[in-house]
Amino acid sequence: MDISNSKSLFSRAQLSIPGGVNSPVRAFKSVGGTPLFIKHAKGAYLYDVDGNKYIDYIASWGPMILGHAYEPVVKAIQEQAVFSTSYGAPTELEIKMAELIRSMAPNVDLIRMVSSGTEACMSAVRVARGYTGRNKIIKFEGCYHGHADSFLVKAGSGVATFNIQTVPGVTAGVSNDTLTCAYNDLEAVERLVSENPNEIAAIIIEAVAGNMGCILPKEGFLKGLRKICDDHNIVLIFDEVMTGFRLALGGVQEKLGIDADLVTYGKVIGAGMPVGAFGGKRHIMEMVSPLGNVYQAGTLSGNPIAMIAGYTLLTILKEQPEILAELDAKTLYLKEGLERVLKASGTPYVINHLGSMISVHFSEHPVTDFASAAAANNNLFKKYFHAMLNRGIYLPPSAFESWFLNNALSYEDLNKTIAATEESLKEIL
Ligand code: HOZ
């Protein structure tokens, strides 16, 4: 496969951009090789600057639920853009967006738009601290809630991919206020809470994790967290940046039937435009300025282009619930096909999957937390990644990321992916 144009753009990019990329996981650093520079995308396919076509399993890390350049979304953006790209003043569109999300997501009485998932999680934690008057939070090893200082302790995604133990620039004070324990370990959470009486403001969690591969909460884990939070007046924050409107319209809260106090959203609610939001129960969200004194602000918050893009996508998902069912069926089909060829290859593997999130770990043991994800044969994953890329299948460039399916994928694409896996395994094992 000729990727000479990507190679020369990567060399050029490194002269002006740190590491040549604007977000570390794009750099292919852990899998090796040259990141592909994308020229355009349509439906389920990415096209690089050398004209190569790839079946896309990243979907911009979640939001392209209906595929790339989905026509109603593109048209809505074009129509809105002629009325200006930003006002710094309120619009009716923001109200419609808030009303739409409230109609789909449980426990969202009030919601504030921001510009990214990082900002949403950072703000939600501030609100929880303001509400409880406490400083500490609990997060789970391998969960990633964006790059705000307090979340970079034992984080997943790129922090795990590059094995960064301590992020320079994050002060000891901030780190000390972030307590961590293993995902799915309820006893460890109980221990942290009893060792820090009346000090924990919030527990923040990817209720279905996607930043150490896809990892599912064990039976009773989320329910247990809910009870701990109720018993100790701790704010339970579900980071639904990747799961919201994908696993169900009401995200994990709806899919697994557990209530959160605050919920955060990101790229999905902008159909891939830079946007995020945090929302939740009225008595907590009333802390947010200008209603309360927890200050939070942004010129681009509720940006009209981001709003119309997200409003269009979410409206389609709401009006056509069969879309998520189709997407789930496709993911199950892929899972079964991958299982068939992985089993036949004889290599140990684990496939974790829920709805349209899925990932493959080359492991003999169940992958239920960061330690078990890290213990998998991630060297083999690197080889698998490249063998698949050479066959036109674009997987996340790290074992510590979930794959995201989009509904533009055809069964033919899925069959190609399964066949490519079969061939790749023969090549690399
Ligand atoms: N794990 C990230 C998405 N939640 C990958 C995207 C990025 O960091 O650029």
Side-chain angles (χ1 to χ4, degrees):
M1 188 177 284
D2 176 20
I3 57 160
S4 49
N5 288 335
S6 278
K7 282 185 175 164
S8 79
L9 284 180
F10 190 44
S11 301
R12 187 174 140 210
Q14 288 172 82
L15 300 177
S16 315
I17 302 172
V21 291
N22 278 316
S23 197
V25 295
R26 292 179 202 170
F28 280 22
K29 209 171 150 189
S30 76
V31 287
T34 306
L36 301 172
F37 282 67
I38 302 303
K39 178 102 175 173
H40 64 106
K42 180 73 188 160
Y45 311 121
L46 295 173
Y47 299 85
D48 71 13
V49 286
D50 291 281
N52 302 306
K53 176 182 173 184
Y54 304 89
I55 301 175
D56 178 24
Y57 285 96
I58 299 184
S60 190
W61 305 103
M64 299 305 166
I65 295 174
L66 302 177
H68 291 276
Y70 189 70
E71 266 152 42
V73 172
V74 173
K75 188 163 173 278
I77 292 171
Q78 286 169 336
E79 285 174 3
Q80 182 64 42
V82 296
F83 296 119
S84 181
T85 49
S86 180
Y87 311 116
T91 63
E92 186 185 356
L93 202 45
E94 293 161 78
I95 310 172
K96 286 170 71 178
M97 186 69 169
E99 289 169 347
L100 181 63
I101 293 176
R102 288 185 60 205
S103 75
M104 292 193 268
N107 299 306
V108 176
D109 301 324
L110 294 172
I111 182 158
R112 165 64 59 83
M113 291 296 144
V114 293
S115 298
S116 70
T118 293
E119 218 189 312
C121 293
M122 178 186 92
S123 306
V125 163
R126 186 182 305 142
V127 171
R129 285 177 166 146
Y131 175 73
T132 57
R134 303 170 182 172
N135 291 339
K136 294 185 178 169
I137 61 167
I138 295 177
K139 79 170 276 290
F140 295 90
E141 289 160 17
C143 280
Y144 180 74
H145 305 289
H147 63 90
D149 288 356
S150 33
F151 304 130
L152 292 177
V153 183
K154 299 205 175 154
S157 189
V159 183
T161 302
F162 302 135
N163 194 18
I164 302 172
Q165 300 297 324
T166 310
V167 178
V170 175
T171 64
V174 170
S175 299
N176 292 343
D177 281 338
T178 302
L179 311 178
T180 61
C181 60
Y183 197 84
N184 274 321
D185 188 346
L186 202 54
E187 279 175 21
V189 179
E190 275 160 358
R191 216 167 28 247
L192 284 178
V193 170
S194 70
E195 284 167 4
N196 295 272
N198 298 317
E199 287 192 86
I200 315 287
I203 296 177
I204 184 165
I205 184 164
E206 288 178 79
V208 169
N211 283 293
M212 41 183 161
C214 175
I215 294 199
L216 309 187
K218 283 183 182 162
E219 184 74 40
F221 178 58
L222 296 178
K223 205 167 159 202
L225 291 184
R226 178 67 272 171
K227 182 165 181 340
I228 290 171
C229 287
D230 288 340
D231 290 349
H232 297 273
N233 295 320
I234 295 169
V235 176
L236 181 59
I237 305 173
F238 275 9
D239 175 342
E240 298 242 33
V241 166
M242 297 190 291
T243 52
F245 312 98
R246 172 175 276 278
L247 294 188
L249 294 181
V252 178
Q253 287 197 90
E254 179 189 325
K255 185 94 176 168
L256 301 182
I258 306 289
D259 289 334
D261 298 313
L262 294 178
V263 193
T264 61
Y265 299 112
K267 45 217 156 202
V268 173
I269 65 163
M273 296 293 292
V275 70
F278 63 99
K281 294 179 178 166
R282 181 174 299 276
H283 60 284
I284 305 177
M285 286 299 290
E286 279 176 345
M287 299 296 296
V288 178
S289 185
L291 207 50
N293 285 338
V294 176
Y295 200 75
Q296 188 285 322
T299 298
L300 298 178
S301 300
N303 173 270
I305 307 293
M307 291 296 99
I308 196 65
Y311 183 80
T312 306
L313 173 69
L314 297 189
T315 302
I316 293 168
L317 294 177
K318 183 179 177 184
E319 288 175 353
Q320 300 175 48
E322 65 279 10
I323 290 175
L324 290 187
E326 277 169 29
L327 191 50
D328 288 1
K330 287 178 185 177
T331 314
L332 192 59
Y333 181 86
L334 177 69
K335 181 193 176 190
E336 287 169 356
L338 292 176
E339 248 164 7
R340 208 169 45 243
V341 296
L342 278 156
K343 200 177 222 167
S345 78
T347 194
Y349 71 92
V350 170
I351 300 182
N352 286 341
H353 146 254
L354 187 68
S356 54
M357 290 170 68
I358 184 168
S359 61
V360 175
H361 294 272
F362 293 104
S363 171
E364 293 176 40
H365 307 289
V367 176
T368 57
D369 55 16
F370 181 67
S372 47
N377 185 348
N378 293 327
N379 236 359
L380 187 58
F381 180 87
K382 291 175 196 174
K383 292 182 186 160
Y384 174 57
F385 168 82
H386 279 294
M388 292 294 276
L389 197 63
N390 285 337
R391 290 169 173 81
I393 315 290
Y394 197 107
L395 303 176
S398 165
F400 298 120
E401 302 286 355
S402 176
W403 311 5
F404 298 97
L405 271 70
N406 69 78
N407 205 38
L409 285 160
S410 65
Y411 279 90
E412 198 189 333
D413 295 325
L414 302 176
N415 286 336
K416 277 187 190 160
T417 308
I418 296 161
T421 294
E422 190 172 21
E423 282 176 27
S424 297
L425 292 171
K426 281 188 185 138
E427 181 186 301
I428 63 178
L429 287 175

